[in-house]
Each structure stands twice: as structure tokens, then as C-alpha cells.
Amino acid sequence: MARGQRAMLVGAIATLLQSSIGVAAQSSQTANATAAISSTTTLPSPSSTPLKCSGSFTTISASSFVAAMDPGWNLGNTLDAIEDEGDWNNPPVVGSTFDDIKTAGFKGIRLPVTWAYHFTSESPSWNVDPTWLQRVSDVVNMITSRGFYTIVNVHHDSWIWADVTQPNANITAIEERFYRLWYQVGTKLACKGPKVAFEPINEPPGTTEEHGKQQNRMNEIFLRAINDAGGFNGKRVVTLAGAGSDSIKTSMWFKKPEDLGTRWENPWALQYHYYSPYDFIFSAWGKTTWGNPTELASLINDLTLIRQNFTDIPLIIGEWAASPVATETAARWRYFDVFLRTARSLNTATVLWDNGADFLNRATHTWRDPVALNILRSAVSGKRNALPVSTVDPSATTQSSSAYVYHRKGDNITAVTLPFEFNNNTLVSLSLTNKGKLTKGKHYTVSGESITLTPTLLSSVLTSSSRTGSLANLTLDFRPGADLTVDILQYSTPVFPVTEFQLPPAPEVLNDLHIPVQWAGHNRPATIQAVKADGGYLVDDWTQWLGPLQAGRMTYNGQWDWDADGVILRKAVLEEVRRVGGEVRFVVEFAPRGVGGNNGIVVVRA
């Protein structure tokens, strides 16, 4: 989310700490902030006279800038790709992407940029390729010409060369390079208008008070560099970062620039990131539910505590997401609604992380989850949304979701009742794909906040010749909140043509194992459980203490994955099979979870 998968995990682990440390770790900024670290580093002198810009610059306060950014969107995995734009899952950016973002209702763009592979010299000059500087400037122009506010940053450099937490970190070299980088970026963008803000560095690693002190110093170096560059930079808004960009460590160790004795007068906001709870956001350990009272309270508490620690500071959550790729639909919609309404109530702006594979399909100009987008727009405008009901009990053995009508092919067609939370919304009408508005009484009935779909309606979709897969969407027109959809999906048990695999003996190098699947109406697994021959769990054995839908399950992307043709077991998992020896049974689970006979079993032997 600010990054590729590796860097995305960094932010996620940081926010996992937010949930696990607890309220006791929270303390006031005044009581716990520490003085900036002293350093013997002699920063370079400016290489030229500060730039002067023609024209005028209308100063904007940090609070006004942050409000104007909300809601914001991240151009992820693009200019921040490693090593260059286009090297990850997105082609070079084009202006039409920002047209799509504007049409969707976003007001601000965060522009992540990785600079590490664009230096043309080393110490002491650390020159940045002028072609790359121009490319960044051109993209900034694409953004601002469409009326957006934007934040430009230094992104994956945080762990490529600027990680001050490494035991062998050369702090002097890092500080020198950091100054020179921002001096050059500041010079190139010095004359951009007030809608352009700067962010010193993305998710700077840090787990100790000393790391927090060093990040305060990096903020100082950044401020000096852009001010030394001249132009309008002395008036430009900046969004400063604490160690890790997470709320706990920021609350404990971040120091205001004025408290550090800096002379720079830039209007500033504080940025942090939020990817919590880790297991839900990143589909770890079979966590496909979210929204029980404890989880709701935890999210609200996390966002409230940092606001209480920085009562007079503009706050912006520069990255957050619950991806359609990794999370269950009804749970995701609930998360969007609660997260965004909570942030709004705390006067905190939000910037959605989008890596190009999660939300906007940049090639087709379509949104992968338009309902989530509608919920976002509604929530940031102050409206409360109606929501589908889904399983939230961690002790449950089955999982239901009112975002779907799941029908096993061949079963009798009966009425289906779906519970919702109307949340003071009025249900105006229901309509079906290609059929228009439905008739109350004939096609559906409403009792309280439950909607029952009649056999007459369902039989018109689930015919004897219907294929498996998503067959139709039912649209629920709610006012004043966002409309919801119900996916009518027919499925049967997925088929695994090959169910037994033998690993080659050591020392032959292992690669990811691709297991073909005939999906039978499903579009992906829900999770995978790995069970050894003795009944123990292959990885993360501690999950035995979790609920029935989580025990023994692995983590999406890191340990298993999927594509259009099948399921993928990662190399690290196969190495663990080889280490323990014998055979391991992998249970590939599909939605609706807990329904008998809906899983596939694959055996891997070493």
C-alpha cells in the first residue's frame, strides 16, 4: 500500500502494533516527546543561490490544505515502482487516470516517488537524473491542472538507502544524501503553486525512542533543504512523519518543528498510515470477517487516541485500504463506512492506497468495487450508509454474508432472507441486472431490516441452464446513503485435476507450486489450511488458539496466492514441508465458508 508487497507489509506490521500495544502505551505528546537527536553531520551548503519565482503564491494553511485533500487517492506502484516507473504492475501514468479519479469524486492525489535508482553521482553531490526530475514535475502538472491538491514524497528510499535503524547505518551519509535529494526536488518544484505539498519520507523505519529522535532530525533536514532551495517553498505546506508513520510511535516520539528550535515557518500537518487490523486487511490466518463490537471499538479508539494527542494539529491518514482482492465484501463495506465516518468525526483527512490492482482498473477506467467507492463518497460527506450483515463472531463455524446469494447448482430454489442494517436509510427500490425495478410482494418482501427474495425472482436467474459464477446483481436503492448490491452467484465444488504432489529431494531448489483449479463459479479461494500428518499445523501453529475458521490457516500473498488458472503455494511453505518431512494436507476453502463439500484438498509430500 505505499509500495509493493514488501513495503506494504511494513506499514501493516506497524499498525498491528497499534492494536497489540494497547491504550496503556498511549501517552500525551507533551509528556513523552523527546528532543531531536544531536548530530555531527555537516550538511552540504546550498549549491546555488535560492531560486526566485515569478508570479504570486497564495499561502494556504495546513488545515485548509488537508481539508481540501479529503478524500484523497494514492497513485501507487507507479512512480514509486522499483526500479523505475512501469517496472511493477502499472504502465507509465497518463493524464486520463486523473480524469477517472476526478470523476470518482476524489479531491487530492498523493504522489509516491522512489528516487533511489535515479541518482547519477554519489557523495557529496548525490545528483538526481534531470530526466527523472522532469518526469515527476510533468506528472505533478498533470495532477494540478485538473484542480487536485497533491502531496509529493520520497517513498521506498525509506528502506532502500535511508533506513537509519540498520546496525551498520551510516547516518552521516544518509543525512547528506537526504538533504541533497530534497534540495534538488525542492529546486525543481520550487515554483509550483500552493496546491503542491511535500512529505519528507514514507513510513520511515523505527521502533525505538532513538529512531524517533532521528526521524525528527530527518524532518528538520527536509525543511532546511526545501527552504534552502528557495522559490515558494518557504510558504509551502508539508506533511511531516513520525517513526513508522504509525499512530503509536508518532504519538510517543514526534516533536513539532517549533519545539526543535527550527526557524522554518512552513505550515505543516502530521501524516500517519492505518492498516489495521493486520489479519483482516491482509487476509492473514483465515481472517475473512470484521465488524464485531471489539473490532469496531478498536478502530475508533486508534483514530481517537492520536487525535487526542495532537488536538491542534491537522491530521491526514496518507494511506489506508481494505482491498477487494483480499477482504470479504460485506466486511469491507462495513470497514469503509466505519473508518471514514470515524476519521471525518475526528477532523482527519484520508488518502486511499491503490496499487493499480485493488480499486481502479486504470486500463478499463472502471472501479473493481463501485459500492465501496459509493460508500466512501457518502461517508466523507457525512452520510451514514446502510450495510449488509455478515458473520462477525470469531467462534463461528460457518460464515454468511448479505452481499451475496450463494446457490449451489442443482439445489432446490427457495426464498432467501438477507438481513441488513438500514442505519436510518430508507429502502426506495430493488432492481435486477437487465430487468429493471422489481415488484414488491412478487419479487421481494421487506420485514423490518430484512429483505426476502422470492422463489419467483430467484428462478428467473437460477434457471436449469444457468452456468456457475456470478449471474446477476441486485441493486438496493437506499436514501440518503450509498446504494448496495447483492451478487447472485451459483457455484459447485471446485475441481482439482491433480491432488497429490511430490517435492524433489534436497538440495534441489524449490519454486512456487502452481496447482490447477477448475473454479466452478468461484473466483478465488477464501483461505488455505495446512495440516501435518500428526494433526498439527504446518505454519503459525499458534493459530490453534484462534476460532474454527482461522486455526491453521495461512496468510494470503506471503504463503499462498491464486491466479486465473489455479492456486499457488509459495516457496517458503514448500521449504517448510520439506523441513518437517512426510505429507501435508492443504485444505483450500471457498465461500461460503463452512459449507460441507465446498473445499478442495491437496496433499504435498517431501
Side-chain angles (χ1 to χ4, degrees):
M1 295 178 154
R3 51 253 170 183
Q5 297 298 335
R6 176 196 179 279
M8 181 165 63
L9 188 58
V10 174
I13 293 173
T15 50
L16 176 61
L17 293 175
Q18 295 182 9
S19 298
S20 61
I21 291 175
V23 176
Q26 292 282 352
S27 50
S28 71
Q29 175 195 8
T30 302
N32 289 284
T34 55
I37 193 169
S38 60
S39 174
T40 59
T41 301
T42 301
L43 297 177
S45 299
S47 55
S48 61
T49 303
L51 189 67
K52 294 190 180 298
C53 302
S54 60
S56 62
F57 183 98
T58 303
T59 302
I60 183 172
S61 69
S63 58
S64 295
F65 186 98
V66 166
M69 277 282 296
D70 193 28
W73 179 84
N74 276 276
L75 182 71
N77 286 24
T78 308
L79 295 188
D80 59 313
I82 296 173
E83 298 181 355
D84 203 356
E85 180 183 12
D87 283 354
W88 281 357
N89 58 291
N90 297 302
V93 66
V94 293
S96 61
T97 292
F98 302 118
D99 294 331
D100 294 335
I101 297 304
K102 191 175 185 69
T103 299
F106 291 95
K107 297 178 180 178
I109 303 288
R110 181 168 175 260
L111 182 61
V113 184
T114 296
W115 304 85
Y117 303 98
H118 301 283
F119 289 96
T120 60
S121 67
E122 297 186 353
S123 181
S125 61
W126 296 108
N127 289 327
V128 178
D129 183 354
T131 301
W132 183 243
L133 281 167
Q134 186 60 49
R135 175 59 176 164
V136 173
S137 178
D138 290 344
V139 173
V140 170
N141 290 343
M142 289 183 199
I143 294 170
T144 56
S145 67
R146 289 164 169 82
F148 288 112
Y149 288 74
T150 186
I151 300 172
V152 181
N153 80 355
V154 168
H155 207 76
H156 292 306
D157 306 75
S158 61
W159 54 266
I160 297 172
W161 59 266
D163 185 353
V164 300
T165 70
Q166 293 299 309
N168 61 346
N170 184 333
I171 302 299
T172 298
I174 290 173
E175 291 185 349
E176 175 190 82
R177 191 174 183 178
F178 192 64
Y179 173 88
R180 283 292 302 148
L181 172 57
W182 267 114
Y183 181 83
Q184 292 171 85
V185 175
T187 299
K188 184 65 180 179
L189 305 182
C191 297
K192 303 295 185 186
K195 290 186 176 181
V196 177
F198 295 154
E199 168 197 337
I201 195 163
N202 173 72
E203 296 180 359
T207 56
T208 68
E209 183 178 8
E210 287 303 309
H211 299 155
K213 292 179 181 179
Q214 180 62 44
Q215 180 52 36
N216 289 332
R217 174 161 171 79
M218 298 294 274
N219 287 337
E220 289 184 88
I221 293 169
F222 155 75
L223 288 169
R224 176 186 158 182
I226 63 172
N227 278 272
D228 284 353
F232 297 135
N233 290 332
K235 303 176 182 179
R236 192 175 304 285
V237 171
V238 297
T239 66
L240 301 179
S245 291
D246 79 273
S247 64
I248 291 288
K249 295 191 286 293
T250 297
S251 292
M252 291 191 295
W253 303 321
F254 176 80
K255 287 284 284 184
K256 299 178 181 179
E258 51 265 38
D259 291 343
L260 296 170
T262 59
R263 64 183 186 275
W264 318 118
E265 297 182 357
N266 294 80
W268 64 276
L270 189 57
Q271 181 178 150
Y272 70 100
H273 297 175
Y274 194 78
Y275 292 115
S276 186
Y278 170 84
D279 50 0
F280 171 67
I281 296 299
F282 295 99
S283 192
W285 313 307
K287 177 67 170 173
T288 54
T289 67
W290 185 85
N292 64 45
T294 300
E295 291 166 335
L296 295 172
S298 179
L299 184 152
I300 294 169
N301 188 57
D302 288 346
L303 272 58
T304 300
L305 286 173
I306 187 169
R307 170 48 77 195
Q308 291 174 343
N309 283 323
F310 299 101
T311 56
D312 59 343
I313 304 299
L315 293 180
I316 183 167
I317 301 175
E319 292 184 22
W320 73 280
S323 167
V325 177
T327 57
E328 192 277 327
T329 301
R332 175 171 65 255
W333 294 347
R334 182 174 300 275
Y335 188 93
F336 263 65
D337 179 72
V338 175
F339 171 83
L340 289 161
R341 288 190 300 106
T342 301
R344 183 180 186 274
S345 72
L346 297 169
N347 195 26
T348 301
T350 60
V351 189
L352 179 69
W353 178 258
D354 190 354
N355 64 16
D358 285 333
F359 294 101
L360 175 65
N361 184 325
R362 301 179 197 173
T364 64
H365 310 283
T366 58
W367 291 86
R368 294 181 175 89
D369 186 350
V371 172
L373 179 62
N374 290 336
I375 289 173
L376 180 150
R377 287 187 292 234
S378 180
V380 298
S381 70
K383 300 173 186 175
R384 190 170 185 187
N385 297 290
L387 296 170
V389 171
S390 59
T391 300
V392 295
D393 181 2
S395 66
T397 57
T398 61
Q399 182 177 355
S400 63
S401 170
S402 290
Y404 293 89
V405 171
Y406 287 110
H407 180 261
R408 181 182 287 277
K409 189 174 178 63
D411 285 358
N412 293 331
I413 296 174
T414 58
V416 173
T417 298
L418 302 173
F420 289 84
E421 293 178 6
F422 282 21
N423 295 323
N424 295 321
N425 281 263
T426 299
L427 178 64
V428 176
S429 65
L430 275 69
S431 58
L432 190 66
T433 306
N434 299 325
K435 293 183 182 294
K437 288 187 178 181
L438 302 178
T439 302
K440 189 174 183 180
K442 176 182 179 182
H443 297 122
Y444 69 96
T445 61
V446 181
S447 176
E449 296 187 348
S450 291
I451 301 171
T452 298
L453 308 179
T454 67
T456 298
L457 168 65
L458 296 175
S459 295
S460 70
V461 177
L462 302 164
T463 67
S464 59
S465 60
S466 295
R467 59 178 173 80
T468 57
S470 177
L471 300 179
N473 277 325
L474 186 68
T475 299
L476 284 58
D477 182 359
F478 281 103
R479 308 283 175 83
D483 293 348
L484 302 180
T485 61
V486 175
D487 185 359
I488 302 176
L489 186 149
Q490 184 162 246
Y491 70 94
S492 58
T493 302
V495 175
F496 289 73
V498 181
T499 59
E500 297 187 10
F501 296 86
Q502 178 70 48
L503 297 181
E508 185 172 335
V509 175
L510 296 173
N511 297 307
D512 291 352
L513 175 62
H514 188 278
I515 302 169
V517 178
Q518 296 169 16
W519 295 103
H522 301 276
N523 60 6
R524 60 158 293 166
T527 188
I528 299 179
Q529 185 184 50
V531 184
K532 297 184 294 185
D534 63 4
Y537 298 133
L538 178 68
V539 293
D540 298 324
D541 186 68
W542 60 269
T543 59
Q544 64 184 292
W545 307 113
L546 299 179
L549 294 177
Q550 290 191 259
R553 274 65 167 193
M554 302 190 296
T555 297
Y556 168 65
N557 188 58
Q559 295 171 331
W560 66 272
D561 206 337
W562 60 277
D563 61 20
D565 299 316
V567 172
I568 300 165
L569 298 180
R570 293 298 190 199
K571 172 184 175 181
V573 169
L574 302 180
E575 289 175 340
E576 186 64 11
V577 173
R578 177 185 276 176
R579 188 189 70 81
V580 301
E583 70 177 37
V584 175
R585 185 181 62 163
F586 291 91
V587 183
V588 185
E589 300 177 24
F590 297 86
R593 294 188 65 192
V595 176
N598 198 36
N599 300 329
I601 297 177
V602 173
V603 174
V604 179
R605 297 185 178 88

